[in-house]
Amino acid sequence: MAADILIHNVRPLGADPVDILILAGRISRSPTPTGVPVLDGGGRIALPGLVEAHTHLDKSLLGLPWYRNEVGPRLIDRIENERSARKTLPIDPRQQSERQALLSVTHGSTFIRSHVDVDTECGVAGIEGVMGTREALADVVDIDLVAFPQSGLLVRPGTVELLEQALRLGAETVGGLDPCAIDRDPKGHLDTVFGLADKFGRGVDIHLHEPGEMGAFSMELIIERTIALGMQGKVVVSHAFCLGMPDASVVDPLLTALAEARIAIMTTATASRPVPPLKRLLQAGVVVCAGSDGIRDTWGPYGNADMLERAMFVGQRYNLRRDDELTLALDVVTEGGARALGLANYGLSPGCSGDLVLVEAQTIAEAVAQRPGRRTVVKRGRVVAREGVVEAR
Ligand SMILES: [Zn+2]
């Protein structure tokens, strides 16, 4: 549902005050027609809707009793723990995804990419649950689904067929996971993932936690396949911890190759692992986006779905202190996300979708550093959250 609204007295990205007119869901520079509802911006900063570029809506424990985490330290411990926890905890993907999506909206996200588990135990139940939420919240937030083989792809026979089913049901993007470390068959894993993407005409978004040389090897295979299939601009590598290794003689050629293949990098700016080098990525011309990853789930207790806070984490992790540097952090959770996910008509210019968030701050740097609350969020010209509370469903 697209609406009309005149947002009076707001400062686009911290610039001088203006009125922003949204007609039929799009930002317009036409004269304001009579009868258009007016929202008083009160001199707040208007940001384009924040982009949550990587989360897991299907398995958050938001709203459920506190989960006592006693999980082992390895990735495989967390994967196996989650599969068994799903049998005992009341994790209904439909309900949990709606809870988290609405929390995202109150913080100003107007677009969410969710990886959704597909495996031989849960099948496509997670996909169906998140699709239910997507439909229920269609006027509030856009949600894009990645069919994600969390438990491995080739190591668990039957998973490839389930991914195909998920794509036929309506998942937009093909997921993948640590081709060497989980499937132990990098060529087979990536040929399958890219084969599905090619067959269904979809993009790819791969979780790549593999460190150092191992991750660099997987990254090279991803780049090769992206170019071979003409999928430039349609591939995201999430985490990419291998790019955080210190050996520039390995990393720098990868950055150049990623830019040429127009592969985007998603970072959570985690404090606990090496992270891809933000400024060198941007200088090389690589698009960088950010995400919350799991929010309060069996993997970890953290997260609040606030992408402005994620921008602050980006600032802290990458030692961004100057005001111009904090603008880079905001870019990662706005324009960077939009470019990585291929969102059309994104921004605050005439013709763009009328998705924005009003934030009480003097400057972009203050907005990132202080993450003011009580935000007002507009989706396609409709106020969906006011003063930090969901208004319209
Ligand atoms: Zn993830």
Side-chain angles (χ1 to χ4, degrees):
M1 185 167 42
D4 302 341
I5 196 168
L6 178 70
I7 307 173
H8 172 62
N9 185 24
V10 287
R11 293 178 298 121
L13 293 165
D16 292 339
V18 295
D19 292 350
I20 296 178
L21 175 65
I22 300 173
L23 292 179
R26 294 281 184 102
I27 296 174
S28 170
R29 60 157 66 102
S30 308
T32 305
T34 51
V36 170
V38 177
L39 172 68
D40 182 8
R44 284 184 282 178
I45 290 179
L47 305 175
L50 305 179
V51 179
E52 166 66 90
H54 183 123
T55 189
H56 294 262
L57 290 177
D58 55 318
K59 50 194 187 181
S60 172
L61 304 176
L62 284 169
L64 300 178
W66 186 255
Y67 172 74
R68 183 174 177 83
N69 187 322
E70 296 178 313
V71 186
R74 299 169 306 163
L75 185 66
I76 195 69
D77 295 330
R78 298 183 186 124
I79 291 171
E80 287 173 356
N81 174 70
E82 179 174 64
R83 270 210 320 278
S84 77
R86 250 192 337 234
K87 292 173 188 148
T88 53
L89 295 176
I91 308 174
D92 171 7
R94 169 71 183 85
Q95 178 181 57
Q96 295 311 112
S97 59
E98 179 161 322
R99 283 177 171 160
Q100 186 183 318
L102 290 175
L103 181 62
S104 285
V105 168
T106 65
H107 291 307
S109 288
T110 56
F111 190 95
I112 299 170
R113 168 173 280 188
S114 178
H115 296 250
V116 182
D117 284 12
V118 174
D119 67 39
T120 50
E121 287 179 18
C122 70
V124 294
I127 295 280
E128 289 169 336
V130 179
M131 284 181 66
T133 292
R134 163 160 74 186
E135 199 178 326
L137 300 185
D139 292 333
V140 177
V141 60
D142 292 320
I143 298 174
D144 155 318
L145 278 69
V146 182
F148 176 44
Q150 171 77 82
S151 294
L153 185 57
L154 304 179
V155 283
R156 295 176 68 86
T159 307
V160 176
E161 292 74 12
L162 288 165
L163 281 190
E164 288 210 23
Q165 192 183 340
L167 295 168
R168 276 194 291 270
L169 280 171
E172 282 83 1
T173 302
V174 186
L177 171 73
D178 292 342
C180 298
I182 299 291
D183 265 2
R184 297 174 182 271
D185 180 359
K187 185 174 181 304
H189 181 97
L190 291 172
D191 283 347
T192 305
V193 166
F194 278 88
L196 286 173
D198 190 39
K199 177 176 173 183
F200 286 85
R202 309 292 173 82
V204 164
D205 192 333
I206 295 184
H207 280 68
L208 189 62
H209 311 92
E210 294 167 356
E213 299 277 356
M214 185 199 283
F217 175 69
S218 292
M219 190 76 88
E220 286 173 5
L221 300 188
I222 292 167
I223 293 166
E224 280 171 18
R225 281 154 183 74
T226 301
I227 291 170
L229 292 172
M231 285 181 59
Q232 292 92 336
K234 292 184 168 176
V235 176
V236 178
V237 177
S238 289
H239 302 302
F241 296 139
C242 60
L243 298 178
M245 70 173 148
D247 189 347
S249 70
V250 178
V251 173
D252 285 349
L254 280 176
L255 301 188
T256 305
L258 286 168
E260 284 171 5
R262 304 207 327 264
I263 295 173
I265 297 295
M266 189 298 298
T267 183
T268 62
T270 179
S272 59
R273 299 290 294 269
V275 284
L278 176 67
K279 284 188 179 173
R280 281 159 63 205
L281 280 163
L282 296 175
Q283 278 158 8
V286 179
V287 172
V288 181
C289 61
S292 303
D293 208 1
I295 290 177
R296 198 179 148 186
D297 57 18
T298 64
W299 289 63
Y302 301 111
N304 64 0
D306 181 359
M307 290 309 294
L308 214 43
E309 181 166 286
R310 188 60 46 184
M312 182 189 75
F313 292 153
V314 168
Q316 291 178 328
R317 187 67 175 89
Y318 291 100
N319 196 21
L320 310 180
R321 295 163 185 265
R322 295 162 48 100
D323 283 40
D324 55 350
E325 292 177 320
L326 289 176
T327 301
L328 295 180
L330 181 77
D331 279 350
V332 168
V333 302
T334 52
E335 289 286 344
R339 289 175 64 197
L341 306 189
L343 306 188
N345 307 312
Y346 181 84
L348 295 177
S349 306
C352 292
S353 185
D355 296 0
L356 47 87
V357 51
L358 306 184
V359 178
E360 178 80 52
Q362 296 173 57
T363 64
I364 294 297
E366 185 187 2
V368 171
Q370 299 298 318
R371 301 105 56 221
R374 303 171 63 84
R375 298 171 203 165
T376 293
V377 186
V378 175
K379 181 69 183 171
R380 286 188 279 274
R382 190 162 164 257
V383 177
V384 291
R386 200 185 295 264
E387 306 293 317
V389 177
V390 171
E391 178 144 293
R393 302 270 299 268

